[in-house]
PDB file of all heavy atoms in Angstrom:
ATOM      1  N   THR C 200      95.005 113.675  97.032  1.00  0.00           N
ATOM      2  CA  THR C 200      95.700 113.521  95.756  1.00  0.00           C
ATOM      3  C   THR C 200      96.438 112.186  95.619  1.00  0.00           C
ATOM      4  O   THR C 200      97.267 112.021  94.721  1.00  0.00           O
ATOM      5  CB  THR C 200      96.674 114.705  95.498  1.00  0.00           C
ATOM      6  OG1 THR C 200      97.704 114.713  96.498  1.00  0.00           O
ATOM      7  CG2 THR C 200      95.968 116.046  95.528  1.00  0.00           C
ATOM      8  N   ASN C 202      98.610 110.379  97.591  1.00  0.00           N
ATOM      9  CA  ASN C 202      99.882 110.003  98.218  1.00  0.00           C
ATOM     10  C   ASN C 202      99.680 109.180  99.490  1.00  0.00           C
ATOM     11  O   ASN C 202     100.314 108.137  99.668  1.00  0.00           O
ATOM     12  CB  ASN C 202     100.687 111.262  98.573  1.00  0.00           C
ATOM     13  CG  ASN C 202     101.069 112.065  97.351  1.00  0.00           C
ATOM     14  OD1 ASN C 202     101.379 111.508  96.306  1.00  0.00           O
ATOM     15  ND2 ASN C 202     101.035 113.378  97.463  1.00  0.00           N
ATOM     16  N   THR C 203      98.804 109.653 100.337  1.00  0.00           N
ATOM     17  CA  THR C 203      98.584 108.949 101.605  1.00  0.00           C
ATOM     18  C   THR C 203      97.940 107.586 101.353  1.00  0.00           C
ATOM     19  O   THR C 203      98.179 106.631 102.096  1.00  0.00           O
ATOM     20  CB  THR C 203      97.717 109.811 102.553  1.00  0.00           C
ATOM     21  OG1 THR C 203      98.310 111.111 102.634  1.00  0.00           O
ATOM     22  CG2 THR C 203      97.636 109.214 103.953  1.00  0.00           C
ATOM     23  N   ASP C 239      96.657 110.718 106.959  1.00  0.00           N
ATOM     24  CA  ASP C 239      96.111 111.829 106.189  1.00  0.00           C
ATOM     25  C   ASP C 239      97.249 112.631 105.572  1.00  0.00           C
ATOM     26  O   ASP C 239      98.390 112.565 106.041  1.00  0.00           O
ATOM     27  CB  ASP C 239      95.311 112.736 107.155  1.00  0.00           C
ATOM     28  CG  ASP C 239      94.241 113.575 106.460  1.00  0.00           C
ATOM     29  OD1 ASP C 239      94.168 113.565 105.211  1.00  0.00           O
ATOM     30  OD2 ASP C 239      93.479 114.232 107.187  1.00  0.00           O
ATOM     31  N   GLY C 240      96.933 113.416 104.550  1.00  0.00           N
ATOM     32  CA  GLY C 240      97.858 114.435 104.072  1.00  0.00           C
ATOM     33  C   GLY C 240      97.716 115.647 104.980  1.00  0.00           C
ATOM     34  O   GLY C 240      96.945 115.635 105.944  1.00  0.00           O
ATOM     35  N   VAL C 241      98.479 116.717 104.666  1.00  0.00           N
ATOM     36  CA  VAL C 241      98.325 117.954 105.438  1.00  0.00           C
ATOM     37  C   VAL C 241      97.947 119.061 104.463  1.00  0.00           C
ATOM     38  O   VAL C 241      98.531 119.196 103.389  1.00  0.00           O
ATOM     39  CB  VAL C 241      99.593 118.273 106.272  1.00  0.00           C
ATOM     40  CG1 VAL C 241     100.859 118.264 105.434  1.00  0.00           C
ATOM     41  CG2 VAL C 241      99.448 119.585 107.035  1.00  0.00           C
ATOM     42  N   TYR C 242      96.941 119.813 104.834  1.00  0.00           N
ATOM     43  CA  TYR C 242      96.364 120.826 103.945  1.00  0.00           C
ATOM     44  C   TYR C 242      96.194 122.110 104.758  1.00  0.00           C
ATOM     45  O   TYR C 242      95.347 122.153 105.664  1.00  0.00           O
ATOM     46  CB  TYR C 242      95.013 120.350 103.402  1.00  0.00           C
ATOM     47  CG  TYR C 242      95.050 118.902 102.946  1.00  0.00           C
ATOM     48  CD1 TYR C 242      94.643 117.889 103.800  1.00  0.00           C
ATOM     49  CD2 TYR C 242      95.560 118.560 101.683  1.00  0.00           C
ATOM     50  CE1 TYR C 242      94.726 116.562 103.421  1.00  0.00           C
ATOM     51  CE2 TYR C 242      95.647 117.231 101.303  1.00  0.00           C
ATOM     52  CZ  TYR C 242      95.226 116.239 102.174  1.00  0.00           C
ATOM     53  OH  TYR C 242      95.316 114.919 101.805  1.00  0.00           O
ATOM     54  N   GLY C 243      97.042 123.120 104.449  1.00  0.00           N
ATOM     55  CA  GLY C 243      96.986 124.348 105.250  1.00  0.00           C
ATOM     56  C   GLY C 243      97.307 124.037 106.703  1.00  0.00           C
ATOM     57  O   GLY C 243      96.641 124.519 107.606  1.00  0.00           O
ATOM     58  N   TRP C 244      98.336 123.200 106.888  1.00  0.00           N
ATOM     59  CA  TRP C 244      98.900 122.837 108.198  1.00  0.00           C
ATOM     60  C   TRP C 244      97.983 121.954 109.046  1.00  0.00           C
ATOM     61  O   TRP C 244      98.283 121.657 110.194  1.00  0.00           O
ATOM     62  CB  TRP C 244      99.307 124.086 109.024  1.00  0.00           C
ATOM     63  CG  TRP C 244     100.103 125.032 108.199  1.00  0.00           C
ATOM     64  CD1 TRP C 244      99.754 126.308 107.849  1.00  0.00           C
ATOM     65  CD2 TRP C 244     101.367 124.778 107.563  1.00  0.00           C
ATOM     66  NE1 TRP C 244     100.720 126.858 107.036  1.00  0.00           N
ATOM     67  CE2 TRP C 244     101.721 125.951 106.847  1.00  0.00           C
ATOM     68  CE3 TRP C 244     102.232 123.671 107.529  1.00  0.00           C
ATOM     69  CZ2 TRP C 244     102.890 126.048 106.106  1.00  0.00           C
ATOM     70  CZ3 TRP C 244     103.407 123.761 106.779  1.00  0.00           C
ATOM     71  CH2 TRP C 244     103.711 124.948 106.089  1.00  0.00           C
ATOM     72  N   ARG C 245      96.875 121.503 108.489  1.00  0.00           N
ATOM     73  CA  ARG C 245      95.928 120.698 109.283  1.00  0.00           C
ATOM     74  C   ARG C 245      95.578 119.412 108.538  1.00  0.00           C
ATOM     75  O   ARG C 245      95.749 119.325 107.325  1.00  0.00           O
ATOM     76  CB  ARG C 245      94.619 121.479 109.461  1.00  0.00           C
ATOM     77  CG  ARG C 245      94.787 122.772 110.210  1.00  0.00           C
ATOM     78  CD  ARG C 245      93.493 123.186 110.845  1.00  0.00           C
ATOM     79  NE  ARG C 245      92.460 123.494 109.856  1.00  0.00           N
ATOM     80  CZ  ARG C 245      91.198 123.805 110.173  1.00  0.00           C
ATOM     81  NH1 ARG C 245      90.831 123.831 111.443  1.00  0.00           N
ATOM     82  NH2 ARG C 245      90.323 124.069 109.234  1.00  0.00           N
ATOM     83  N   GLY C 269     101.264 109.936 107.837  1.00  0.00           N
ATOM     84  CA  GLY C 269     100.823 110.928 106.873  1.00  0.00           C
ATOM     85  C   GLY C 269     101.898 111.279 105.871  1.00  0.00           C
ATOM     86  O   GLY C 269     103.066 110.886 106.010  1.00  0.00           O
ATOM     87  N   THR C 270     101.483 112.015 104.848  1.00  0.00           N
ATOM     88  CA  THR C 270     102.417 112.543 103.860  1.00  0.00           C
ATOM     89  C   THR C 270     102.293 114.066 103.872  1.00  0.00           C
ATOM     90  O   THR C 270     101.287 114.613 104.315  1.00  0.00           O
ATOM     91  CB  THR C 270     102.127 111.995 102.451  1.00  0.00           C
ATOM     92  OG1 THR C 270     100.799 112.356 102.061  1.00  0.00           O
ATOM     93  CG2 THR C 270     102.259 110.481 102.403  1.00  0.00           C
ATOM     94  N   TYR C 271     103.343 114.722 103.382  1.00  0.00           N
ATOM     95  CA  TYR C 271     103.392 116.187 103.476  1.00  0.00           C
ATOM     96  C   TYR C 271     104.255 116.752 102.359  1.00  0.00           C
ATOM     97  O   TYR C 271     105.068 116.028 101.760  1.00  0.00           O
ATOM     98  CB  TYR C 271     103.979 116.594 104.841  1.00  0.00           C
ATOM     99  CG  TYR C 271     105.379 116.056 105.055  1.00  0.00           C
ATOM    100  CD1 TYR C 271     106.487 116.796 104.654  1.00  0.00           C
ATOM    101  CD2 TYR C 271     105.587 114.789 105.601  1.00  0.00           C
ATOM    102  CE1 TYR C 271     107.773 116.292 104.808  1.00  0.00           C
ATOM    103  CE2 TYR C 271     106.858 114.277 105.760  1.00  0.00           C
ATOM    104  CZ  TYR C 271     107.949 115.033 105.364  1.00  0.00           C
ATOM    105  OH  TYR C 271     109.211 114.527 105.500  1.00  0.00           O
ATOM    106  N   GLY C 272     104.088 118.051 102.101  1.00  0.00           N
ATOM    107  CA  GLY C 272     104.965 118.726 101.153  1.00  0.00           C
ATOM    108  C   GLY C 272     106.103 119.421 101.866  1.00  0.00           C
ATOM    109  O   GLY C 272     107.230 119.449 101.386  1.00  0.00           O
ATOM    110  N   GLY C 273     105.804 120.021 103.026  1.00  0.00           N
ATOM    111  CA  GLY C 273     106.803 120.783 103.766  1.00  0.00           C
ATOM    112  C   GLY C 273     107.066 120.236 105.155  1.00  0.00           C
ATOM    113  O   GLY C 273     108.211 120.045 105.536  1.00  0.00           O
ATOM    114  N   LYS C 274     105.995 119.964 105.895  1.00  0.00           N
ATOM    115  CA  LYS C 274     106.125 119.560 107.309  1.00  0.00           C
ATOM    116  C   LYS C 274     104.861 118.801 107.713  1.00  0.00           C
ATOM    117  O   LYS C 274     103.757 119.254 107.401  1.00  0.00           O
ATOM    118  CB  LYS C 274     106.256 120.844 108.136  1.00  0.00           C
ATOM    119  CG  LYS C 274     106.728 120.654 109.534  1.00  0.00           C
ATOM    120  CD  LYS C 274     107.124 122.029 110.122  1.00  0.00           C
ATOM    121  CE  LYS C 274     107.210 121.942 111.627  1.00  0.00           C
ATOM    122  NZ  LYS C 274     106.052 122.569 112.289  1.00  0.00           N
ATOM    123  N   PRO C 275     105.034 117.670 108.406  1.00  0.00           N
ATOM    124  CA  PRO C 275     103.859 116.849 108.742  1.00  0.00           C
ATOM    125  C   PRO C 275     103.100 117.367 109.964  1.00  0.00           C
ATOM    126  O   PRO C 275     102.955 116.678 110.964  1.00  0.00           O
ATOM    127  CB  PRO C 275     104.470 115.467 108.989  1.00  0.00           C
ATOM    128  CG  PRO C 275     105.838 115.758 109.489  1.00  0.00           C
ATOM    129  CD  PRO C 275     106.297 117.024 108.807  1.00  0.00           C
ATOM    130  N   SER C 276     102.581 118.580 109.874  1.00  0.00           N
ATOM    131  CA  SER C 276     101.915 119.189 111.042  1.00  0.00           C
ATOM    132  C   SER C 276     100.575 118.543 111.375  1.00  0.00           C
ATOM    133  O   SER C 276     100.014 118.814 112.430  1.00  0.00           O
ATOM    134  CB  SER C 276     101.697 120.690 110.834  1.00  0.00           C
ATOM    135  OG  SER C 276     102.239 121.158 109.652  1.00  0.00           O
ATOM    136  N   GLN C 277     100.054 117.725 110.467  1.00  0.00           N
ATOM    137  CA  GLN C 277      98.773 117.058 110.759  1.00  0.00           C
ATOM    138  C   GLN C 277      98.898 115.999 111.855  1.00  0.00           C
ATOM    139  O   GLN C 277      97.926 115.682 112.535  1.00  0.00           O
ATOM    140  CB  GLN C 277      98.186 116.424 109.480  1.00  0.00           C
ATOM    141  CG  GLN C 277      98.777 115.105 109.022  1.00  0.00           C
ATOM    142  CD  GLN C 277     100.019 115.258 108.181  1.00  0.00           C
ATOM    143  OE1 GLN C 277     100.878 116.087 108.469  1.00  0.00           O
ATOM    144  NE2 GLN C 277     100.135 114.457 107.141  1.00  0.00           N
ATOM    145  N   LEU C 278     100.114 115.422 112.002  1.00  0.00           N
ATOM    146  CA  LEU C 278     100.245 114.277 112.911  1.00  0.00           C
ATOM    147  C   LEU C 278      99.932 114.647 114.358  1.00  0.00           C
ATOM    148  O   LEU C 278      99.239 113.907 115.058  1.00  0.00           O
ATOM    149  CB  LEU C 278     101.644 113.657 112.815  1.00  0.00           C
ATOM    150  CG  LEU C 278     102.027 113.050 111.467  1.00  0.00           C
ATOM    151  CD1 LEU C 278     103.327 112.258 111.616  1.00  0.00           C
ATOM    152  CD2 LEU C 278     100.940 112.170 110.886  1.00  0.00           C
ATOM    153  N   SER C 297     105.851 109.438 108.913  1.00  0.00           N
ATOM    154  CA  SER C 297     105.507 110.347 107.825  1.00  0.00           C
ATOM    155  C   SER C 297     106.587 110.321 106.762  1.00  0.00           C
ATOM    156  O   SER C 297     107.735 109.969 107.028  1.00  0.00           O
ATOM    157  CB  SER C 297     105.323 111.774 108.346  1.00  0.00           C
ATOM    158  OG  SER C 297     106.546 112.262 108.858  1.00  0.00           O
ATOM    159  N   CYS C 298     106.194 110.670 105.554  1.00  0.00           N
ATOM    160  CA  CYS C 298     107.149 110.836 104.460  1.00  0.00           C
ATOM    161  C   CYS C 298     106.601 111.903 103.523  1.00  0.00           C
ATOM    162  O   CYS C 298     105.420 112.243 103.575  1.00  0.00           O
ATOM    163  CB  CYS C 298     107.376 109.519 103.719  1.00  0.00           C
ATOM    164  SG  CYS C 298     105.912 108.886 102.879  1.00  0.00           S
ATOM    165  N   MET C 299     107.452 112.414 102.640  1.00  0.00           N
ATOM    166  CA  MET C 299     106.970 113.416 101.680  1.00  0.00           C
ATOM    167  C   MET C 299     105.999 112.794 100.689  1.00  0.00           C
ATOM    168  O   MET C 299     106.071 111.592 100.389  1.00  0.00           O
ATOM    169  CB  MET C 299     108.146 114.001 100.905  1.00  0.00           C
ATOM    170  CG  MET C 299     108.823 115.147 101.633  1.00  0.00           C
ATOM    171  SD  MET C 299     109.989 115.974 100.522  1.00  0.00           S
ATOM    172  CE  MET C 299     108.910 117.207  99.810  1.00  0.00           C
ATOM    173  N   GLY C 300     105.097 113.608 100.172  1.00  0.00           N
ATOM    174  CA  GLY C 300     104.194 113.188  99.111  1.00  0.00           C
ATOM    175  C   GLY C 300     104.173 114.276  98.048  1.00  0.00           C
ATOM    176  O   GLY C 300     104.215 115.471  98.389  1.00  0.00           O
ATOM    177  N   ARG C 301     104.161 113.886  96.800  1.00  0.00           N
ATOM    178  CA  ARG C 301     104.199 114.879  95.717  1.00  0.00           C
ATOM    179  C   ARG C 301     103.132 115.955  95.939  1.00  0.00           C
ATOM    180  O   ARG C 301     101.954 115.649  96.126  1.00  0.00           O
ATOM    181  CB  ARG C 301     103.985 114.200  94.376  1.00  0.00           C
ATOM    182  CG  ARG C 301     104.258 115.152  93.237  1.00  0.00           C
ATOM    183  CD  ARG C 301     104.329 114.446  91.926  1.00  0.00           C
ATOM    184  NE  ARG C 301     104.751 115.388  90.907  1.00  0.00           N
ATOM    185  CZ  ARG C 301     104.871 115.096  89.634  1.00  0.00           C
ATOM    186  NH1 ARG C 301     104.631 113.873  89.210  1.00  0.00           N
ATOM    187  NH2 ARG C 301     105.258 116.007  88.775  1.00  0.00           N
ATOM    188  N   ASP C 302     103.571 117.203  95.918  1.00  0.00           N
ATOM    189  CA  ASP C 302     102.735 118.312  96.364  1.00  0.00           C
ATOM    190  C   ASP C 302     102.079 119.031  95.181  1.00  0.00           C
ATOM    191  O   ASP C 302     102.699 119.841  94.502  1.00  0.00           O
ATOM    192  CB  ASP C 302     103.622 119.281  97.160  1.00  0.00           C
ATOM    193  CG  ASP C 302     102.811 120.359  97.845  1.00  0.00           C
ATOM    194  OD1 ASP C 302     101.630 120.520  97.503  1.00  0.00           O
ATOM    195  OD2 ASP C 302     103.382 121.041  98.719  1.00  0.00           O
ATOM    196  N   TRP C 303     100.814 118.740  94.951  1.00  0.00           N
ATOM    197  CA  TRP C 303     100.095 119.346  93.825  1.00  0.00           C
ATOM    198  C   TRP C 303      99.686 120.780  94.080  1.00  0.00           C
ATOM    199  O   TRP C 303      99.267 121.488  93.164  1.00  0.00           O
ATOM    200  CB  TRP C 303      98.890 118.477  93.441  1.00  0.00           C
ATOM    201  CG  TRP C 303      99.370 117.177  92.880  1.00  0.00           C
ATOM    202  CD1 TRP C 303      99.407 115.978  93.518  1.00  0.00           C
ATOM    203  CD2 TRP C 303      99.960 116.961  91.590  1.00  0.00           C
ATOM    204  NE1 TRP C 303      99.981 115.027  92.721  1.00  0.00           N
ATOM    205  CE2 TRP C 303     100.326 115.599  91.532  1.00  0.00           C
ATOM    206  CE3 TRP C 303     100.237 117.795  90.498  1.00  0.00           C
ATOM    207  CZ2 TRP C 303     100.931 115.047  90.399  1.00  0.00           C
ATOM    208  CZ3 TRP C 303     100.840 117.243  89.374  1.00  0.00           C
ATOM    209  CH2 TRP C 303     101.171 115.882  89.346  1.00  0.00           C
ATOM    210  N   PHE C 304      99.820 121.216  95.333  1.00  0.00           N
ATOM    211  CA  PHE C 304      99.563 122.627  95.633  1.00  0.00           C
ATOM    212  C   PHE C 304     100.611 123.478  94.919  1.00  0.00           C
ATOM    213  O   PHE C 304     100.339 124.601  94.498  1.00  0.00           O
ATOM    214  CB  PHE C 304      99.605 122.852  97.151  1.00  0.00           C
ATOM    215  CG  PHE C 304      99.160 124.205  97.573  1.00  0.00           C
ATOM    216  CD1 PHE C 304      97.827 124.573  97.441  1.00  0.00           C
ATOM    217  CD2 PHE C 304     100.060 125.113  98.108  1.00  0.00           C
ATOM    218  CE1 PHE C 304      97.407 125.831  97.836  1.00  0.00           C
ATOM    219  CE2 PHE C 304      99.647 126.372  98.499  1.00  0.00           C
ATOM    220  CZ  PHE C 304      98.317 126.734  98.365  1.00  0.00           C
ATOM    221  N   PHE C 305     101.819 122.917  94.763  1.00  0.00           N
ATOM    222  CA  PHE C 305     102.889 123.597  94.027  1.00  0.00           C
ATOM    223  C   PHE C 305     103.084 122.927  92.662  1.00  0.00           C
ATOM    224  O   PHE C 305     104.200 122.685  92.222  1.00  0.00           O
ATOM    225  CB  PHE C 305     104.184 123.597  94.833  1.00  0.00           C
ATOM    226  CG  PHE C 305     104.128 124.498  96.030  1.00  0.00           C
ATOM    227  CD1 PHE C 305     103.995 123.990  97.305  1.00  0.00           C
ATOM    228  CD2 PHE C 305     104.157 125.883  95.870  1.00  0.00           C
ATOM    229  CE1 PHE C 305     103.909 124.828  98.415  1.00  0.00           C
ATOM    230  CE2 PHE C 305     104.070 126.731  96.974  1.00  0.00           C
ATOM    231  CZ  PHE C 305     103.943 126.199  98.244  1.00  0.00           C
ATOM    232  N   GLY C 307     102.961 120.049  91.593  1.00  0.00           N
ATOM    233  CA  GLY C 307     103.693 118.785  91.515  1.00  0.00           C
ATOM    234  C   GLY C 307     105.198 118.948  91.445  1.00  0.00           C
ATOM    235  O   GLY C 307     105.922 118.002  91.143  1.00  0.00           O
ATOM    236  N   LEU C 308     105.684 120.180  91.705  1.00  0.00           N
ATOM    237  CA  LEU C 308     107.134 120.418  91.581  1.00  0.00           C
ATOM    238  C   LEU C 308     107.900 119.952  92.820  1.00  0.00           C
ATOM    239  O   LEU C 308     109.086 119.659  92.752  1.00  0.00           O
ATOM    240  CB  LEU C 308     107.407 121.912  91.366  1.00  0.00           C
ATOM    241  CG  LEU C 308     106.830 122.484  90.070  1.00  0.00           C
ATOM    242  CD1 LEU C 308     106.961 123.995  90.044  1.00  0.00           C
ATOM    243  CD2 LEU C 308     107.528 121.871  88.860  1.00  0.00           C
ATOM    244  N   ILE C 309     107.198 119.895  93.949  1.00  0.00           N
ATOM    245  CA  ILE C 309     107.832 119.481  95.210  1.00  0.00           C
ATOM    246  C   ILE C 309     107.490 118.024  95.494  1.00  0.00           C
ATOM    247  O   ILE C 309     106.343 117.609  95.321  1.00  0.00           O
ATOM    248  CB  ILE C 309     107.352 120.391  96.366  1.00  0.00           C
ATOM    249  CG1 ILE C 309     107.859 121.807  96.142  1.00  0.00           C
ATOM    250  CG2 ILE C 309     107.804 119.845  97.724  1.00  0.00           C
ATOM    251  CD1 ILE C 309     107.361 122.812  97.148  1.00  0.00           C
ATOM    252  N   GLY C 310     108.511 117.271  95.906  1.00  0.00           N
ATOM    253  CA  GLY C 310     108.264 115.891  96.317  1.00  0.00           C
ATOM    254  C   GLY C 310     107.969 114.961  95.159  1.00  0.00           C
ATOM    255  O   GLY C 310     107.277 113.960  95.316  1.00  0.00           O
ATOM    256  N   ARG C 311     108.530 115.236  94.001  1.00  0.00           N
ATOM    257  CA  ARG C 311     108.344 114.355  92.841  1.00  0.00           C
ATOM    258  C   ARG C 311     108.838 112.939  93.161  1.00  0.00           C
ATOM    259  O   ARG C 311     109.889 112.786  93.768  1.00  0.00           O
ATOM    260  CB  ARG C 311     109.171 114.911  91.674  1.00  0.00           C
ATOM    261  CG  ARG C 311     108.467 114.796  90.355  1.00  0.00           C
ATOM    262  CD  ARG C 311     109.284 115.458  89.287  1.00  0.00           C
ATOM    263  NE  ARG C 311     108.785 116.805  89.020  1.00  0.00           N
ATOM    264  CZ  ARG C 311     109.155 117.544  87.986  1.00  0.00           C
ATOM    265  NH1 ARG C 311     110.055 117.088  87.153  1.00  0.00           N
ATOM    266  NH2 ARG C 311     108.642 118.723  87.798  1.00  0.00           N
ATOM    267  N   ARG C 313     107.657 110.895  95.316  1.00  0.00           N
ATOM    268  CA  ARG C 313     107.361 110.514  96.692  1.00  0.00           C
ATOM    269  C   ARG C 313     105.855 110.280  96.855  1.00  0.00           C
ATOM    270  O   ARG C 313     105.071 111.009  96.236  1.00  0.00           O
ATOM    271  CB  ARG C 313     107.799 111.634  97.657  1.00  0.00           C
ATOM    272  CG  ARG C 313     109.230 112.066  97.463  1.00  0.00           C
ATOM    273  CD  ARG C 313     110.259 111.075  97.937  1.00  0.00           C
ATOM    274  NE  ARG C 313     110.227 110.792  99.373  1.00  0.00           N
ATOM    275  CZ  ARG C 313     110.842 111.536 100.295  1.00  0.00           C
ATOM    276  NH1 ARG C 313     111.542 112.585  99.953  1.00  0.00           N
ATOM    277  NH2 ARG C 313     110.765 111.183 101.568  1.00  0.00           N
TER     278      ARG C 313
END
Side-chain angles (χ1 to χ4, degrees):
T200 64
N202 297 323
T203 309
D239 204 354
V241 52
Y242 316 95
W244 312 116
R245 298 204 295 176
T270 60
Y271 60 90
K274 194 167 163 255
S276 356
Q277 78 275 41
L278 297 190
S297 64
C298 64
M299 275 191 90
R301 190 168 187 182
D302 189 346
W303 293 102
F304 189 69
F305 290 105
L308 297 171
I309 294 175
R311 219 175 261 192
R313 308 288 297 275

